[in-house]
Structure formats: structure tokens, C-alpha cells
Amino acid sequence: LIFQGNTTQNPILFDGDILKIDKAPSINEKQMEIAVANLSPKVIKVWVVGEVQDPGEKKIKVNTPLSQAIMIAGGPKNGRANKFNIELYRINRNNKVTRTRYKLDYTKPISNKYNPSLISGDVVYLKRNNFAKTSDSIKLISEPIRGVITSYSLLKLINE
């Protein structure tokens, strides 16, 4: 039907008809080409969050690799992103969430081991590096103290 336009194997369905579709034992290249061309959207939604310049939902082309999605989100924040521990969260067909860790390497080709293609609903999380964690902790601790010191300085000026 798709390649030659032959509709003899495309019956008309009526109300109450039941379709039974068995799971395919394996998919060959031609079947994959058909699925990608007709059943898959051209654009998918993924979320790139954490230490990137522009975090949030991103609309990307199908088969976009992890590293390219990070670049679409503006790339990692300099001095804050841990490029050696990027997490990919994916909901599988059995509704279980998997977390896989990757190292950001723009030279690696698309592969499940180093730079996987993303699918709709994936979440890419760039964690903070140790420097960012330390500086954020110092800032968190020093802000209340800074307010006290500013108030003390103001009172001192008023009293003089």
C-alpha cells in the first residue's frame, strides 16, 4: 500500500470489527523505514533541564541525539554543569522509568552507549558540578548573614 499503492490488502472496516495485531518477532530495515515515515511524528517533545542556558521543553526532530538536544537548549552552563554525569530519564513501554548516565562528548556518533537518539517524553538532566554546589551552599549560608550585617551597619550609621 505504501510503496506501490496496492489497496487489495487494505480492507474496509465496519463498526464492531475486531483487529488482532500480533507483536512482530523482529523489525527489518524496510519495516523501520515505513514506521518512521508514516507512524512517527517528525517532531518530538523532550525536556532538557538543569545546568543549561535555556532549560525546559524542547521540540526536536526525531532521532536527535542527546548531545544535540543539549546544544538546542543553549549548551551547558560554563563553570556549573557536570558534563561527565548527564542523566537521561525515559519511560519505557512497561511504564517503568529508567535512568541512564552519559558523558557529554560531541565527537561520539549516535549510539545507545555514548550518544543515544532521544524519544518523545525523554528528560535530559545536566547536574551541577562540585564547584556550583559549593558556591550555591556558600550563597545560601551567607545571605541571611549579609542581611544582619547590613542592618547592623545601618544602625551604626544612624547612631553616629
Side-chain angles (χ1 to χ4, degrees):
L1 173 67
I2 293 172
F3 291 114
Q4 286 115 14
N6 183 352
T7 61
T8 59
Q9 295 296 317
N10 191 18
I12 297 173
L13 298 176
F14 295 99
D15 189 29
D17 286 351
I18 298 173
L19 296 177
K20 182 180 180 210
I21 302 172
D22 293 325
K23 183 177 178 181
S26 64
I27 298 176
N28 63 33
E29 272 187 54
K30 194 166 196 166
Q31 290 168 327
M32 184 58 83
E33 181 183 338
I34 292 169
V36 170
N38 294 295
L39 303 177
S40 299
K42 294 189 185 319
V43 175
I44 60 172
K45 291 180 188 178
V46 299
W47 286 261
V48 183
V49 296
E51 298 299 326
V52 291
Q53 300 296 333
D54 184 26
E57 181 184 285
K58 303 298 170 197
K59 292 180 182 176
I60 60 174
K61 292 181 182 176
V62 172
N63 295 326
T64 298
L66 175 84
S67 59
Q68 189 174 350
I70 292 169
M71 294 310 294
I72 290 169
K77 285 185 179 177
N78 290 332
R80 293 192 58 84
N82 184 347
K83 299 175 191 172
F84 301 103
N85 191 11
I86 296 168
E87 294 180 346
L88 172 62
Y89 293 89
R90 178 171 286 171
I91 299 175
N92 296 308
R93 290 184 184 190
N94 60 4
N95 287 331
K96 297 209 178 209
V97 177
T98 58
R99 177 184 68 180
T100 314
R101 293 187 176 122
Y102 295 94
K103 181 174 95 168
L104 184 60
D105 187 347
Y106 299 111
T107 64
K108 297 285 185 191
I110 296 175
S111 72
N112 284 335
K113 188 173 182 180
Y114 299 110
N115 194 13
S117 291
L118 299 179
I119 62 173
S120 186
D122 280 352
V123 176
V124 178
Y125 175 46
L126 274 78
K127 297 171 96 173
R128 293 181 297 168
N129 61 23
N130 289 334
F131 174 76
K133 288 177 187 177
T134 304
S135 65
D136 289 350
S137 296
I138 291 169
K139 182 179 177 184
L140 184 68
I141 292 168
S142 66
E143 277 191 34
I145 296 170
R146 186 177 65 190
V148 170
I149 292 172
T150 304
S151 299
Y152 175 75
S153 298
L154 182 62
L155 286 173
K156 193 174 177 182
L157 283 171
I158 292 172
N159 289 334
E160 290 178 3

